[in-house]
Amino acid sequence: MSDREHGPQHPGDACAGARLHIVTGKGGTGKTTIAAALAQALAADGGRVLLVEVEGRQGVATLLGSPPLPYEEREMLSVPGGGSVSVLAADAEAALLEYLEMFYGMRRAGQALNRLGAVDFATTIAPGLRDVLLTGKATEAVRRRRGARRRPSAADPAAPFHYDAVVMDAPPTGRISQFLNVNSEVAGLARVGPIRNHADKVMEVIRSDRTLVHFVTLLEEMPAQETRDGIAEISELGLAAGMVLVNMARPPLLDDASLEAAASGGPDLDALAAGFGEARVENPRELAASLAGEVRGHALRVRLERRVRSDLEDLGRPLLELPLLTGGVDRAALDELTRRLAEQGVRR
């Protein structure tokens, strides 16, 4: 088994050399935010990175405080050192129209079908077609030759150009293996022809050593279990797992001895009440009981988080931790997460 299959020992090794970074995670783990931070980290030192959103939620636009993004590669973020991140809000209907024009020269016919609702109907009844169209946009960007232009042209902003890396904000872990296994999904639609050839090219990139699937999780049992299941599922498909990114991590507020004492029996209620009484605090016993409950709850949470972290470490993937940022996620918070990723060795 190769070192890549065993899993790198340093977080940065999980990214070095990869061109396509697929980011998944259970809903509520901050997957889109981490995907954007990863894109920025990979764009350091002059890199050009494409961030592709495939769920149709316009989550990246919301994160960046911009209006809904059109179906085009648009430079959205400048990174210190001359790097940049472009964003593509992939849309299955628009991708199908592009596909019909590219392979069949059916631009006008495709537009007519779209007006009739046939395009939306086709991608709804055949989710495998939708998935291969969406993944195809990201993998096509990966396949572009290095001789392509390095920046979008003002004269033709839609024309393709070369990226050093592509980050895909992918569906949640519960659907990631089905989403990425496009060959199986289109088997019942087309066994030969352009659609099948397109699916084969997509899988060629996804299964290559240029692609990694990263998992965003929390130090909670359910997201961690979905991470373990997701890694096992993509491994069965022959895909490579990258990093496990623990988001919203919080440091313990007490030392280990105090945490253990609090988790085992809680603080001394009588001593706390006596202390509050000496300080002339009203209702000292009630306040002491409330504080003791908070301290014990914190200690038990830290104990659980440490057990979950240990289980995640046993997966053999590089484990990175990102802090819980209070006050919501804005550009400053995104930059802070990017800095934390860089500090832990994330690079192209």
Side-chain angles (χ1 to χ4, degrees):
M1 186 178 291
S2 66
D3 291 339
R4 181 185 177 87
E5 290 171 317
H6 276 297
Q9 297 303 308
H10 190 278
D13 294 339
C15 290
R19 290 282 312 285
L20 176 57
H21 301 267
I22 300 169
V23 181
T24 184
K26 180 177 169 55
T29 59
K31 170 177 65 70
T32 296
T33 301
I34 300 307
L38 176 61
Q40 286 201 148
L42 295 172
D45 301 323
R48 305 283 182 259
V49 176
L50 177 64
L51 174 59
V52 182
E53 182 182 31
V54 299
E55 291 186 89
R57 297 184 299 105
Q58 290 284 345
V60 176
T62 302
L63 176 65
L64 300 179
S66 74
L69 298 173
Y71 180 68
E72 66 180 37
E73 296 166 21
R74 176 174 292 188
E75 189 171 308
M76 297 289 292
L77 295 167
S78 296
V79 179
S84 67
V85 176
S86 296
V87 179
L88 172 64
D91 175 83
E93 287 75 26
L96 181 54
L97 292 175
E98 182 181 68
Y99 178 86
L100 291 173
E101 179 183 6
M102 183 182 302
F103 290 101
Y104 297 102
M106 294 176 59
R107 180 179 180 83
R108 291 185 179 179
Q111 290 172 340
L113 289 170
N114 192 39
R115 287 193 295 271
L116 293 171
V119 171
D120 182 63
F121 178 74
T123 55
T124 298
I125 65 171
L129 176 59
R130 173 181 291 268
D131 290 349
V132 74
L133 290 167
L134 294 173
T135 53
K137 289 304 299 180
T139 56
E140 181 274 325
V142 172
R143 292 197 307 271
R144 293 175 194 168
R145 297 183 181 276
R146 288 192 172 273
R149 294 178 300 110
R150 291 281 292 173
R151 282 187 176 276
S153 166
D156 187 8
F161 66 106
H162 173 75
Y163 296 101
D164 298 297
V166 177
V167 177
M168 182 196 296
D169 178 20
T173 47
R175 206 174 83 79
I176 190 63
S177 60
Q178 179 185 10
F179 177 76
L180 295 178
N181 192 22
V182 294
N183 260 353
S184 174
E185 291 299 302
V186 302
L189 297 173
R191 298 187 182 279
V192 295
I195 293 178
R196 183 67 198 201
N197 292 339
H198 187 56
D200 289 341
K201 288 181 179 179
V202 169
M203 286 308 300
E204 181 182 350
V205 173
I206 290 178
R207 283 203 174 110
S208 76
D209 59 5
R210 295 176 291 176
T211 298
L212 290 167
V213 185
H214 307 294
F215 289 80
V216 181
T217 188
L218 305 177
L219 291 177
E220 298 174 5
E221 290 183 328
M222 189 173 294
Q225 183 60 52
E226 286 204 13
T227 296
R228 289 192 290 271
D229 293 343
I231 289 177
E233 288 172 2
I234 68 162
S235 297
E236 289 180 1
L237 296 176
L239 311 184
M243 300 176 290
V244 174
L245 298 146
V246 175
N247 196 20
M248 306 183 203
R250 294 168 289 184
L253 303 177
L254 302 171
D255 58 47
D256 286 352
S258 298
L259 285 169
E260 184 58 33
S264 299
D268 188 324
L269 193 59
D270 292 333
L272 282 175
F276 286 137
E278 291 178 4
R280 299 180 181 276
V281 175
E282 293 184 5
N283 303 316
R285 190 77 184 179
E286 181 180 337
L287 182 59
S290 177
L291 179 60
E294 292 288 337
V295 170
R296 187 165 190 272
H298 172 73
L300 291 173
R301 177 179 63 78
V302 172
R303 177 185 285 180
L304 171 65
E305 289 178 347
R306 288 178 174 175
R307 179 173 61 78
V308 172
R309 182 186 289 108
S310 177
D311 291 342
L312 291 172
E313 288 172 346
D314 290 342
L315 291 171
R317 307 312 308 159
L319 188 69
L320 280 68
E321 293 198 19
L322 295 163
L324 173 66
L325 300 178
T326 58
V329 179
D330 54 14
R331 181 58 198 274
L334 184 60
D335 289 344
E336 173 64 14
L337 294 173
T338 300
R339 184 181 68 82
R340 295 295 186 103
L341 288 173
E343 286 177 349
Q344 296 177 78
V346 173
R347 58 184 180 274
R348 294 193 310 282

